Amino acid sequence: MTYTADEGRYERQPYNRSGRSGLRLPAVSLGLWHNFGDDRPVATSREILRRAFDLGVTHFDLANNYGVPYGSAERNFGRIFREDFAPYRDELVISTKAGYDMWPGPYGEWGSRKYLLASLDQSLERMGLEYVDVFYSHRPDPDTPLEETMGALDRAVRSGKALYAGVSNYSAEQTAQAVRIMRELGTPLLIHQPSYSMINRWIEGGLLDTLEEAGMGCIVYSPLAQGLLTDRYLEGVPAGSRAATSRFLSAEQIDRELAGELNEIARGRGQSLAQMALLWTLRDPRVTSVLIGASSVRQLQDNVACLQGPPFTEDELREIDRITGPRAAGGA
């Protein structure tokens, strides 16, 4: 059946300006890190993407090595884009990244000009796109001069293969250096993509200040700490859950007492724990958007509904800080 987007899609959520740029991103964006590879049915991925756009999610975030196997998330997204979203290309922000291992040999990871630009070409081919809206350096390279990595991002924008450049997982100091280099090249950095959650607050230790000063936006990933900040593990570790099957989360990392206390605050707010955790990341106006994942349409809808929650009171924020304090790297 031919897809036609919901006419009311732009009434469903706010769109925040990314730093001092002209680009506005939805408060909730969809990340395709998990659940969009060849290990999941394409039909399910299609349903999630369609419903996301109908809910006003205009930003789809990918990377070269997303999916099982690597590259499959981009390839599957490209197929769905051609069949469903091609008429809406100018309404979408599509991003991808390069930096982690992608292919064998010395040119298949990190931050060299050769790797980044070759990866961008491959990503565009897999997705069937002429350009991406944002191309990121996915992580800093300790052995490649930052000038080379930033020069590759500059080249990606000047070639028309990307509209904007960004960085991910860079420290405050590395970000400030990257900003200076890119300004000299004439291609300002648009946005930074760091991890951030109630129990992972490292960006509060200087990065947010750096981004504000530089006029950059901030889109945060892992806001639910790989599922720790949900109600899924309140009674233990279910079979088939991420903690039981994924290399990114283990049962030993689960703090049921912490989740239980936070869940009580969420219930008092009329939200699920996940919804409260997502909205909490957006309480700081310097955070442009929060990246969510979704394995089903229901999960997607529940997560986007976080935006319907009430503003946090000062008492709630203090109580969250008290509960999460011992786990919150970087402090509040």
Side-chain angles (χ1 to χ4, degrees):
M1 181 180 296
T2 302
Y3 169 66
T4 301
D6 190 307
E7 292 184 357
R9 59 191 177 278
Y10 293 119
E11 302 170 6
R12 307 288 169 74
Q13 64 173 300
Y15 296 86
N16 302 321
R17 193 170 299 278
S18 182
R20 291 194 292 270
S21 78
L23 185 67
R24 294 164 64 192
L25 296 178
V28 175
S29 298
L30 180 63
L32 279 66
W33 181 12
H34 302 290
N35 305 313
F36 291 85
D38 290 348
D39 56 335
R40 300 299 175 96
V42 173
T44 302
S45 300
R46 184 191 306 276
E47 291 173 358
I48 294 170
L49 288 166
R50 284 181 172 186
R51 186 57 182 150
F53 191 47
D54 286 345
L55 291 173
V57 177
T58 55
H59 179 208
F60 299 142
D61 179 78
L62 299 104
N64 56 358
N65 64 350
Y66 283 2
V68 180
Y70 286 175
S72 58
E74 288 185 329
R75 186 176 63 254
N76 290 332
F77 173 79
R79 170 183 169 182
I80 297 169
F81 172 84
R82 288 190 300 274
E83 296 173 357
D84 290 351
F85 293 104
Y88 304 101
R89 176 64 183 97
D90 293 337
E91 298 182 44
L92 295 174
V93 173
I94 301 170
S95 61
T96 195
K97 316 175 199 72
Y100 286 93
D101 61 301
M102 182 59 191
W103 62 82
Y107 317 122
E109 64 176 328
W110 293 108
S112 72
R113 182 182 183 93
K114 180 171 179 60
Y115 168 59
L116 291 177
L117 296 181
S119 180
L120 177 56
D121 284 342
Q122 292 180 21
S123 291
L124 292 175
E125 182 176 0
R126 279 191 291 270
M127 291 188 284
L129 300 176
E130 295 181 357
Y131 69 93
V132 291
D133 296 275
V134 187
F135 181 52
Y136 289 88
S137 167
H138 206 166
R139 62 172 171 173
D141 184 341
D143 298 318
T144 297
L146 192 56
E147 289 80 2
E148 179 176 340
T149 300
M150 293 302 106
L153 294 183
D154 174 68
R155 176 58 182 167
V157 173
R158 292 185 185 277
S159 69
K161 296 178 181 179
L163 300 186
Y164 300 95
V167 295
S168 181
N169 299 309
Y170 279 53
S171 69
E173 181 180 358
Q174 291 165 333
T175 301
Q177 293 172 348
V179 165
R180 288 193 293 270
I181 294 168
M182 292 296 277
R183 280 180 176 167
E184 292 174 359
L185 292 171
T187 303
L189 286 173
L190 171 81
I191 198 165
H192 189 299
Q193 187 175 134
S195 61
Y196 185 50
S197 72
M198 287 180 177
I199 56 175
N200 175 23
R201 303 193 189 186
W202 72 274
I203 68 173
E204 296 175 7
L207 180 61
L208 283 173
D209 293 335
T210 298
L211 298 180
E212 182 176 28
E213 182 179 350
M216 292 175 62
C218 179
I219 178 168
V220 299
Y221 73 89
S222 291
L224 302 181
Q226 299 294 316
L228 295 178
L229 296 174
T230 71
D231 58 11
R232 186 159 200 193
Y233 301 110
L234 292 178
E235 304 300 327
V237 180
S241 66
R242 183 171 296 179
T245 63
S246 174
R247 65 187 175 91
F248 296 105
L249 178 65
S250 67
E252 290 72 25
Q253 293 175 276
I254 295 172
D255 189 331
R256 291 170 57 190
E257 181 178 356
L258 177 143
E261 289 188 67
L262 291 174
N263 191 55
E264 287 302 309
I265 299 175
R267 290 177 59 185
R269 291 171 47 80
Q271 291 186 300
S272 69
L273 174 53
Q275 288 170 337
M276 183 179 76
L278 292 169
L279 190 60
W280 179 90
T281 67
L282 293 166
R283 79 200 187 287
D284 191 317
R286 294 172 295 182
V287 175
T288 312
S289 183
V290 57
L291 272 171
I292 62 169
S295 59
S296 67
V297 169
R298 179 178 178 179
Q299 186 182 46
L300 169 80
Q301 293 178 154
D302 287 346
N303 285 345
V304 174
C306 74
L307 299 172
Q308 300 170 13
F312 286 95
T313 67
E314 290 301 319
D315 286 344
E316 287 172 336
L317 292 175
R318 279 193 293 269
E319 183 65 3
I320 289 170
D321 288 346
R322 181 193 68 78
I323 295 169
T324 61
R327 292 281 302 264

